[in-house]
Amino acid sequence: MNNRYDVIIRNGILVCPDGVQKADVAVSDEKIVEIAEEISGNANEIIDAAGKYVFPGITDGHVHFNDPGRTEWETITTGSYALAAGGGVAYFDMPLNCSPCTLDVKNFNAKLAVAQKDSLVDYGFWGGLTPKNLDKLEELAECGVIGFKAFSCFSGIDEFERADDYTALVGMEKLAKLGLPLMVHCENAEITRDLTSIALTNNKTTVRDYFAARPPITEIESVSRMISFAEETGCKLIIAHISTAKAVELVAQARSRGVDVCCETIGHYLILTGDDVERMGTVAKCSPPIRDTKNQAKMWAKLLNDEIAFVSSDHSPCDPKLKDGEFLKVWGGISACQTTLPAMLTHGYHERKVPLEDIAKLTSQNVNEIFGIQGKGKIAVGYDGDFTLVDLDKQFTLEAEALFYKHKVSPYVGDSFRGTVTQTILRGTTIFKDGKIVSKPIGKHLRPNF
C-alpha cells in the first residue's frame, strides 16, 4: 500500500500516555492517523525527529493575555507566540485582565473576534463569575466558555469583583445545572485585606511583609470553604494555582469522599522559593505568594502522588512600570507561559525523575480531559496532530531577547534549563521552529464537549 499523508514525523521518540516509544507518526486532515515503528507511506512533509522526543503539544489552562482592552500589558498575538515557542498549541484565557472583563456575551464576542484574527494557536475562554453577572452565566455557557473563574479575595482590578459566599454558592448551583466547572482563586478576603492594611499603616512593605500579609491559612481556609459549597451543590470545582501542600491535602481528601474537585498548580510554586523572591524582587511577586523550601518539597511529593491534576503558567504580565516600587504595593503577576515545559523537564524529569509521560499528562492530556476538549492532548490515533519536538538534553540559558512576550520580562531570565523546544506543530502545521515563528495565525476556538 502506498499511502500518502500530509505529515510524517520519522525517527522520533514519542511520549505517549502509556510510556515512551520510538516510532513514526502520520497526520492527515489535521488528525493523527497512524502510529507505527516504521510508516511506509509518503507525505507532503516529512520531519526527521532523530534524537528528539516528541511530546503532545501543551495546553496552558490558565493565562491572562489581556486582549482586548489592556494590550499595553500583553496581546493575544504576543502571548500565543510565546506559548508556541514553549511548545504550546492551546490556551484557556482568563476573563480578566482584559477590559471589559468577560462577564457577558458582548464582551465574550469582542475577545473571540480578536482571537479569530490574531491567535497563532488554539484557544478557549473562561467566563467570569462575580456578584453582578449571576444572570449572565447561561449566555456565557451558550458561547462555549470552558468554565468560570471567581476570586474569593480582591482580584487586583475593581471591575472584576470578588465572589462573596452568596455569589459562590448561588453560582455553583447554577453551574452544576449547566455542567461547567468553577475555578476559584482561594485566599480569604478579610484576612488578606486586614493584614495588608495593618502592614501599610506600619510602613511594612518588604517581600517578607507581603508574605506575612498572605499566610498559608488564607488559602487553606478558602479552599476548605469552597469545597464545602461544591460538596453541597454538586458543582465541579477547580482550585486555581494551589500553593500549599496542606490545601492539596484538603482537595485529595474531598475527592476521596466523592466531591468533584481537583487543583492545578503553577510552575513557580514548584521552582521558586521565598528566598528566591527576596533575591529577585518584584518581578517574582504573585498571589498567592511563593512559599518556603519545606512546602515546595511537599508540593513535589503531592504532584508525584497524582494529587495535582495539571500544571499551568498563570501567565499574568503587566506594564513593567506597575512593578516599580515597594514590594507590598506593586502589581502581582509573573510572565511564564514560554517556559512551563522546559521548567518541568529541568526540575521535574532531570532533577526528580518524574516520568516523561507524567509530564505530558500534567501539561497536556489532563487539562483537556478535565475541560471536555475532545481529540486534543495526547499522541493517539484520532487526536489532533499537535506535537512539541524537544532536545531533551540540550541546555540553554533564557535570555530576555528570546522571549516573545510584549515586555521581555520574566523571573526566569538568566536561568539555565535542560530540555529545549525545537519545533511546535499545531494540527499538522509547524508554527514554531528553531527559535522563530513560522506560521500565520491559525488558532481555532475550543469548546467543551462532555
Side-chain angles (χ1 to χ4, degrees):
M1 184 181 297
N2 187 23
N3 291 328
R4 187 167 188 88
Y5 306 96
D6 292 334
V7 180
I8 297 176
I9 302 175
R10 296 195 185 278
N11 307 313
I13 305 169
L14 307 186
V15 182
C16 299
D18 56 354
V20 174
Q21 59 177 302
K22 191 175 187 305
D24 296 348
V25 56
V27 176
S28 286
D29 297 324
E30 302 189 342
K31 300 289 185 180
I32 298 171
V33 293
E34 186 175 354
I35 299 171
E37 185 175 343
E38 186 175 345
I39 293 176
S40 59
N42 209 335
N44 298 331
E45 180 183 11
I46 295 178
I47 297 170
D48 185 2
K52 304 291 195 308
Y53 284 74
V54 183
F55 285 78
I58 74 169
T59 296
D60 195 326
H62 190 148
V63 302
H64 300 261
F65 285 166
N66 309 327
D67 197 351
R70 283 193 174 88
T71 53
E72 71 275 17
W73 292 15
E74 188 74 280
T75 68
I76 282 176
T77 295
T78 53
S80 64
Y81 278 17
L83 192 70
V89 296
Y91 60 88
F92 300 155
D93 191 56
M94 284 292 164
L96 72 165
N97 300 305
C98 54
S99 182
C101 299
T102 314
L103 298 175
D104 57 32
V105 63
K106 178 183 178 181
N107 295 324
F108 176 94
N109 286 335
K111 181 183 283 191
L112 179 63
V114 177
Q116 288 172 331
K117 177 173 62 75
D118 293 344
S119 187
L120 178 65
V121 304
D122 291 348
Y123 49 88
F125 296 133
W126 289 93
L129 171 62
T130 75
K132 292 183 178 177
N133 82 322
L134 282 170
D135 61 339
K136 305 294 185 182
L137 306 185
E138 290 82 2
E139 68 181 48
L140 283 166
E142 285 292 323
C143 290
V145 295
I146 53 90
F148 289 81
K149 172 70 180 296
F151 281 73
S152 66
C153 61
F154 177 53
S155 72
I157 59 173
D158 293 331
E159 61 199 281
F160 197 96
E161 296 182 24
R162 81 173 185 92
D164 55 32
D165 285 352
Y166 173 82
T167 300
L169 183 61
V170 173
M172 286 194 200
E173 289 172 346
K174 286 175 171 281
L175 296 186
K177 294 176 182 177
L178 292 170
L180 289 170
L182 177 66
M183 175 181 274
V184 183
H185 176 131
C186 286
E187 290 182 282
N188 181 285
E190 288 75 17
I191 298 174
T192 54
R193 179 196 63 207
D194 291 351
L195 287 177
T196 299
S197 178
I198 292 168
L200 290 171
T201 298
N202 291 283
N203 294 316
K204 292 181 175 292
T205 58
T206 68
V207 175
R208 296 294 170 180
D209 295 325
Y210 176 68
F211 293 166
R214 304 183 96 93
I217 188 59
T218 61
E219 178 178 80
I220 293 164
E221 184 281 331
S222 183
V223 168
S224 179
R225 186 156 36 90
M226 292 302 123
I227 287 173
S228 295
F229 292 165
E231 190 166 17
E232 179 68 20
T233 61
C235 178
K236 182 175 184 175
L237 174 66
I238 301 166
I239 306 301
H241 44 53
I242 206 159
S243 71
T244 61
K246 177 62 177 177
V248 178
E249 288 178 15
L250 294 175
V251 172
Q253 290 165 4
R255 285 183 64 82
S256 70
R257 63 177 187 268
V259 183
D260 192 354
V261 59
C262 67
C263 58
E264 67 160 3
T265 196
I266 308 301
H268 43 255
Y269 297 120
L270 299 170
I271 299 165
L272 303 177
T273 67
D275 292 340
D276 294 321
V277 178
E278 193 164 33
R279 171 176 52 84
M280 294 174 173
T282 59
V283 71
K285 181 181 178 180
C286 62
S287 177
I290 290 163
R291 309 296 183 180
D292 61 24
T293 303
K294 185 176 180 180
N295 178 75
Q296 184 192 80
K298 291 180 179 179
M299 289 288 288
W300 277 106
K302 297 296 183 186
L303 183 137
L304 289 164
N305 198 40
D306 295 328
E307 295 178 49
I308 295 171
F310 58 101
V311 176
S312 306
S313 72
D314 192 8
H315 179 74
S316 186
C318 66
D319 184 324
K321 294 177 183 177
L322 297 178
K323 288 283 193 179
D324 291 340
E326 297 167 282
F327 196 96
L328 188 69
K329 298 178 180 179
V330 303
W331 176 263
I334 289 176
S335 297
C337 72
Q338 193 170 323
T339 49
T340 299
L341 183 57
M344 288 298 293
L345 294 173
T346 302
H347 299 277
Y349 173 72
H350 286 296
E351 291 185 11
R352 293 174 174 86
K353 309 304 179 187
V354 178
L356 295 177
E357 59 267 30
D358 288 353
I359 290 175
K361 289 174 183 176
L362 287 163
T363 58
S364 186
Q365 180 180 337
N366 291 356
V367 65
N368 282 288
E369 291 180 352
I370 288 168
F371 292 99
I373 307 301
Q374 295 188 358
K376 209 168 193 71
K378 60 183 179 182
I379 297 177
V381 171
Y383 278 67
D384 283 359
D386 298 336
F387 311 100
T388 304
L389 274 60
V390 174
D391 188 330
L392 196 58
D393 288 311
K394 185 177 181 180
Q395 299 190 35
F396 70 96
T397 298
L398 183 65
E399 298 178 355
E401 293 72 22
L403 294 172
F404 284 88
Y405 310 146
K406 186 175 183 69
H407 303 287
K408 298 182 183 299
V409 174
S410 171
Y412 304 116
V413 169
D415 284 1
S416 294
F417 295 89
R418 186 179 174 193
T420 300
V421 173
T422 62
Q423 188 168 349
T424 306
I425 300 165
L426 170 60
R427 290 181 273 106
T429 296
T430 295
I431 57 175
F432 171 84
K433 185 176 181 181
D434 298 332
K436 296 179 181 179
I437 301 299
V438 294
S439 170
K440 66 181 182 180
I442 60 170
K444 292 182 177 181
H445 182 209
L446 302 174
R447 301 172 62 110
N449 185 8
F450 290 103

